[in-house]
């Protein structure tokens, strides 16, 4: 591929697709936005008002375009497996938004297809590119925390989607949201041996009608003996809240939500700083970095920072969490090494 800028074809220009389009248009070194595709004509109209880029409603047009070397898949989760398959068959490198798939078999198939085609596959776990999480990771890797005892992680959305369709995925809370936390758990603490999840529908009538939960608490037992909890809600009511604490024998790291500014508002009744309200302002700087890292890996044919195996592991862990929730039992996990990479499977019970 040499030093030529790679052409990126962006599939899906809804919420996160707009973020990727803006970052690509602003300039990711070594890449340019070559084409977009979205099945919605209105989504294409909106993007066309912002950027001059060839577009169409058909994903196949992205893949047929010789200017497209790599695709960024930012469509709903259920579409990811087929899109990954088609892209790899066309010899395109793939950056796939999380989750890689909603079931284990499809995630494995995507991974195998990328390997067969010899293309780069990265999954969109942006926390790994956030400066705070990266600092925590390096402190842990340097041994500053000593032996890790506990992982206490929380991700809360402000309000549930207005309709079940808008949640974009069945089992959305665990597969689509908690997958970030499950990936962070593996990345920061280590591999997971056992998972137990409790869930409840407490806030959303549309999600209740289709049997989905909007609250979940997941308990993890790690291979290294440490314990963890993850709490997820779609109905915090006060904003997006993503924080993480890792407790060790020699130290603890706590990653909180940053303030939007250093300006404190003080009134007769209260005082406070304004906090980041959405995942977009909390992780604003991580999104361009994950694309830069992907593009760099494509140019150098190097390993990606968040691999297809990481994407598959998150799918297995989310599936295990969902099974635990549905059966009221803990789910144990098995692992094996496959070409030097960890592969998870659920213990059949
Ligand atoms: N990493 C993150 O922080 C983050 C944040 C939000 C969403 N996501 C993930 O990104 C993906 C998209 O989420 P979103 O919130 O942007 O969804 P969205 O519904 O806002 O946008 C999806 C877009 O894809 C288009 N689309 C649907 N099917 C298509 C097809 N077959 N071909 C072409 N276009 C198609 C839709 O018209 C829509 O414009 C999901 O997997 C989601 O989990 C990741």
């Amino acid at each position: 591929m040499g030093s030529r800028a790679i052409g990126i074809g962006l599939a899906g220009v809804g919420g996160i697709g707009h973020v990727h389009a803006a970052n690509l248009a602003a300039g990711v070194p070594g890449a340019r936005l070559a084409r977009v595709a979205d099945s919605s004509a209105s989504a294409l109209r909106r993007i066309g008002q912002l950027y001059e880029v060839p577009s169409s409603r058909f994903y196949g047009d992205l893949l047929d375009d010789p200017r497209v070397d790599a695709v960024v898949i930012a469509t709903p989760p259920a579409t990811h497996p087929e899109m990954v398959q088609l892209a790899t068959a066309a010899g395109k490198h793939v950056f796939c938004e999380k989750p890689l798939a909603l079931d284990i078999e499809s995630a494995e198939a995507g991974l195998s297809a990328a390997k067969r085609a010899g293309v780069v596959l990265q999954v969109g776990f942006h926390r790994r590119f956030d400066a705070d999480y990266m600092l925590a990771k390096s402190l842990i890797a340097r041994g500053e925390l000593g032996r890790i005892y506990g992982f206490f992680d929380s991700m809360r959305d402000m309000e549930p989607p207005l309709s079940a369709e808008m949640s974009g995925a069945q089992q959305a809370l665990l597969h689509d949201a908690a997958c970030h936390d499950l990936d962070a758990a593996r990345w920061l603490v280590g591999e997971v041996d056992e998972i137990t999840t409790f869930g409840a529908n407490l806030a959303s009538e549309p999600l209740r009608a289709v049997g989905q939960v909007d609250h979940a608490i997941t308990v993890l037992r790690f291979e290294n003996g440490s314990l963890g909890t993850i709490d997820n809600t779609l109905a915090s009511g006060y904003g997006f809240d993503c924080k993480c604490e890792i407790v060790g024998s020699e130290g603890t790291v706590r990653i909180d939500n940053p303030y939007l500014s250093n300006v404190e508002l003080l009134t007769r009744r209260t005082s406070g700083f304004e906090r980041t309200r959405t995942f977009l302002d909390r992780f604003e700087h991580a999104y361009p970095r994950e694309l830069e890292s992907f593009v760099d890996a494509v140019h150098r044919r190097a390993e990606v920072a968040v691999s297809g195996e990481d994407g598959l592991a998150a799918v297995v862990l989310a599936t295990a969490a969902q099974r635990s929730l549905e059966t009221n039992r803990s789910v144990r996990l098995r692992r094996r090494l496959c070409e030097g990479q960890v592969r998870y499977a659920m213990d059949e019970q």
Side-chain angles (χ1 to χ4, degrees):
M1 198 135 289
S3 56
R4 174 177 76 81
I6 61 164
I8 304 274
L10 173 60
V13 283
I16 199 70
H18 262 269
V19 176
H20 292 317
N23 288 326
L24 287 163
V28 167
R32 69 196 157 73
L33 182 59
R35 193 176 186 94
V36 301
D38 195 298
S39 52
S40 150
S42 60
L44 286 181
R45 258 196 314 279
R46 279 196 300 277
I47 206 85
Q49 286 161 0
L50 295 169
Y51 314 107
E52 244 177 65
V53 57
S55 69
S56 93
R57 291 177 58 194
F58 306 105
Y59 181 59
D61 293 345
L62 269 192
L63 304 181
D64 289 343
D65 189 332
R67 291 166 296 187
V68 170
D69 304 295
V71 294
V72 170
I73 299 174
T75 50
T79 64
H80 295 178
E82 191 187 4
M83 286 191 161
V84 170
Q85 290 284 347
L86 292 171
T88 55
K92 314 287 183 187
H93 304 284
V94 178
F95 176 96
C96 183
E97 261 305 342
K98 58 77 195 172
L100 185 54
L102 291 169
D103 66 90
I104 298 170
E105 293 71 26
S106 302
E108 283 174 346
L111 204 55
S112 305
K115 280 201 195 313
R116 260 196 319 274
V119 298
V120 169
L121 170 63
Q122 182 170 326
V123 178
F125 287 127
H126 59 256
R127 264 188 230 177
R128 294 194 187 208
F129 299 90
D130 174 75
D132 296 337
Y133 280 84
M134 288 167 79
L135 177 56
K137 169 77 180 170
S138 72
L139 291 170
I140 293 167
R142 286 211 313 254
E144 301 272 349
L145 271 59
R147 181 176 175 198
I148 305 291
Y149 293 154
F151 170 81
F152 306 100
D153 175 279
S154 173
M155 186 167 70
R156 304 175 187 161
D157 272 317
M158 174 123 106
E159 52 200 358
L162 296 176
S163 69
E165 291 78 52
M166 280 179 67
S167 76
Q170 298 228 309
Q171 311 159 353
L173 187 62
L174 296 171
H175 277 84
D176 200 27
C179 64
H180 280 299
D181 308 289
L182 294 165
D183 180 65
R186 288 186 60 237
W187 183 55
L188 292 168
V189 177
E191 302 303 345
V192 177
D193 271 353
E194 189 175 355
I195 198 161
T196 312
T197 298
F198 300 92
N201 183 298
L202 302 171
S204 163
E205 195 51 56
L207 290 184
R208 188 173 310 138
V210 294
Q212 289 196 40
V213 298
D214 49 27
H215 286 73
I217 292 181
T218 295
V219 179
L220 303 171
R221 186 188 293 283
F222 290 89
E223 181 189 26
N224 60 20
S226 49
L227 298 172
T229 61
I230 298 169
D231 78 83
N232 299 113
T233 169
L234 295 177
S236 75
Y238 59 83
F240 176 75
D241 189 357
C242 180
K243 49 188 185 279
C244 186
E245 191 175 33
I246 298 119
V247 178
S249 57
E250 309 302 317
T252 289
V253 290
R254 194 175 283 167
I255 311 166
D256 205 341
N257 294 286
Y259 298 122
L260 277 176
S261 77
N262 294 317
V263 178
E264 186 176 12
L265 173 66
L266 302 102
T267 69
R268 280 201 179 83
R269 286 192 312 145
T270 181
S271 70
F273 295 91
E274 197 180 352
R275 284 176 176 263
T276 51
R277 288 187 167 267
T278 68
F279 55 86
L280 295 179
D281 47 35
R282 168 62 184 89
F283 290 109
E284 182 186 1
H285 302 294
Y287 295 113
R289 276 198 210 118
E290 65 179 353
L291 289 183
E292 284 163 21
S293 177
F294 169 66
V295 168
D296 181 56
V298 170
H299 276 290
R300 296 191 298 113
R301 287 304 176 104
E303 293 218 345
V304 288
V306 194
S307 65
E309 278 85 0
D310 293 320
L312 169 60
V315 173
V316 179
L317 293 178
T319 306
Q322 183 70 30
R323 177 183 288 180
S324 168
L325 186 155
E326 286 168 4
T327 58
N328 281 319
R329 295 173 64 167
S330 299
V331 175
R332 297 186 72 85
L333 296 143
R334 281 179 285 118
R335 282 181 305 279
R336 65 187 164 88
L337 276 182
C338 183
E339 293 171 23
Q341 303 270 357
V342 170
R343 281 280 174 104
Y344 274 92
M346 286 189 292
D347 247 0
E348 291 310 325
Q349 291 155 330

